[in-house]
Amino acid sequence: MVQKTALFNPEELLRMDGIDELRRMRAEPNPFWNRPRLEVTWQLPVQSGFLEQRHITLEPMRLATRDELLSYHDISYIETLELFGNTGSAFSSRFGLDTDECPVFQDVHRYASYPVGASIDAVMGVAEGRFRNAVSFYGGLHHAMEDKAAGFCYYNDCVVAIKRFRERFPNKRVLYLDTDVHHGDGTQDAFYSDPNVLTISMHELSMGFFPGTGQPEETGEGEGKGYSVNIPLPPLTGDVEFWGAFEDVVVPIWLAYKPDLVFWEVGGDAHMKDPLADLMLTYDTYQRMAATVKQLTHLMNSGLVVVGGGGYDPVATAKIWMVVLSNIADVPLPPTPPLDWIKLCQKYGLEMKRGGWTDRPIRTEEEHYPKIMRALDETIKKIRDLIFPIHGL
Ligand SMILES: [Zn+2]
């Protein structure tokens, strides 16, 4: 029997109309919780016929239970979202709610709970051998803290799913790899003193850039010292420099750690077209990264769960996740994105210059290049000093 890739189907989430109500209430669309972004990213594999591929099995996203959310989140926070999520309350600000990024809106508790249910099912399905690996585009809400919403994230599906996995399999170790352009602060925070969950985050770090954490010196505490790895990248970092850091830092630590499960948060917002960030990655890096992640999990015989995360250019994000899915599931990409999908993007007024799966890198101005390289060399040196010896490297 062919072992399949589970792809989590967001149709029930997409059927709710809270995000449409939210759009009507605000002058500007929410960059994350808006229908064009969710529809365009989901419809690319649908229109490409991926759902009918024999290597892919569709799994429904389901709501996480209160018990599951309690594996990480604070009960007063959960109750506030459950009871007052639609309208807000006097307590909203205490929990980071009712802000521009984390607004209260109709059914917000349900919108936030679906990704958690999916990530738990993804992890358990892989751990129990029901799927070869799993992909959930709408997970990866890595900024949510125990009792606080932040950066479009209400519940942290990564943390809850990894905690459930560790409760069930206490002897197994997890590598959490975060290549979203923003620091995976919520997930790092949850496992900061836990050597059984190694977190690695590659992210932009610059003046005023959200969330502002993720320095190489943040290495974990207590028994977890050396198990939080941060690779900050300067603005304008491109494919070559990013990939150099991946090979020099991520790969050796990964091989030394020998995880049983890899949980990869692959936000599409490090792409050069992302409107909220300043890195210069092209689809090539995502292609290379997906192939490498798959190869390493295969080599180490570990399970693999992939979640989406950020990405605020819906067209670029859709293509990135499609490239990743194609690699993870061993399903070739169609020669070009399907016409019906291009029409859907046009219906939402999204810019669509190139139709294919590659893009031309924007060359970083010569004067920036040495600065970027110097900053990265310094970061890699720090990580080699602070982290490598703990892993026998
Ligand atoms: Zn992000």
Side-chain angles (χ1 to χ4, degrees), residues 32 37 140 142-143 151-152 178-183 209-210 265 267-270 274 276-277 308-312:
F32 189 101
R37 177 183 188 274
H142 58 168
H143 298 306
F152 315 127
D178 189 321
T179 58
D180 188 285
V181 81
H182 300 96
H183 178 225
F209 191 73
F210 182 84
E265 203 268 25
D269 42 10
D274 196 86
L276 301 191
Y312 305 98

Side-chain angles (χ1 to χ4, degrees), residues 358-373:
T358 55
D359 43 11
R360 227 174 275 126
I362 300 170
R363 274 189 64 78
T364 304
E365 304 273 337
E366 290 296 329
E367 77 238 41
H368 295 305
Y369 192 74
K371 230 165 59 188
I372 294 170
M373 287 312 291

Side-chain angles (χ1 to χ4, degrees), residues 382-393:
K382 270 187 202 162
I383 296 171
R384 283 200 173 121
D385 289 347
L386 295 167
I387 306 266
F388 276 32
I390 294 169
H391 298 277
L393 293 166

Side-chain angles (χ1 to χ4, degrees), residues 144-368:
M145 298 285 178
E146 189 179 352
D147 60 356
K148 212 167 172 111
F152 315 127
C153 309
Y154 300 88
Y155 294 133
N156 194 320
D157 60 292
C158 319
V159 173
V160 175
I162 293 171
K163 281 196 180 273
R164 301 296 284 193
F165 172 80
R166 291 266 312 131
E167 282 163 21
R168 176 90 73 87
F169 305 99
N171 299 322
K172 296 202 170 179
R173 313 209 296 174
V174 182
L175 167 64
Y176 170 80
L177 172 66
D178 189 321
T179 58
D180 188 285
V181 81
H182 300 96
H183 178 225
D185 56 344
T187 314
Q188 171 178 296
D189 193 70
F191 299 112
Y192 206 54
S193 55
D194 187 351
N196 295 302
V197 181
L198 171 71
T199 63
I200 304 181
S201 179
M202 298 180 81
H203 46 266
E204 176 176 346
L205 191 58
S206 55
M207 193 71 90
F209 191 73
F210 182 84
T213 46
Q215 295 282 3
E217 290 81 2
E218 295 165 36
T219 60
E221 64 187 9
E223 285 183 22
K225 192 113 195 127
Y227 294 84
S228 290
V229 182
N230 283 292
I231 312 171
L233 307 162
L236 303 178
T237 296
D239 287 326
V240 175
E241 306 91 85
F242 181 96
W243 193 249
F246 192 96
E247 283 193 325
D248 286 354
V249 177
V250 178
V251 174
I253 294 177
W254 183 327
L255 292 172
Y257 187 64
K258 299 186 179 64
D260 299 289
L261 176 77
V262 176
F263 193 102
W264 180 24
E265 203 268 25
V266 56
D269 42 10
H271 187 266
M272 61 184 184
K273 279 182 73 186
D274 196 86
L276 301 191
D278 316 289
L279 298 196
M280 287 294 163
L281 301 194
T282 68
Y283 302 130
D284 279 3
T285 290
Y286 290 95
Q287 155 75 37
R288 190 172 303 153
M289 199 152 51
T292 306
V293 165
K294 192 167 161 232
Q295 202 180 14
L296 286 173
T297 48
H298 188 69
L299 188 73
M300 314 291 291
N301 201 21
S302 32
L304 174 62
V305 170
V306 183
V307 291
Y312 305 98
D313 179 305
V315 171
T317 305
K319 287 188 185 180
I320 285 165
W321 290 347
M322 186 69 174
V323 165
V324 170
L325 176 62
S326 146
N327 267 280
I328 300 300
D330 281 325
V331 177
L333 291 167
T336 53
L339 194 59
D340 282 345
W341 180 75
I342 293 172
K343 283 185 186 156
L344 179 74
C345 296
Q346 286 164 344
K347 182 187 115 181
Y348 287 126
L350 299 169
E351 194 191 356
M352 173 84 62
K353 273 195 185 140
R354 282 170 70 93
W357 304 105
T358 55
D359 43 11
R360 227 174 275 126
I362 300 170
R363 274 189 64 78
T364 304
E365 304 273 337
E366 290 296 329
E367 77 238 41
H368 295 305

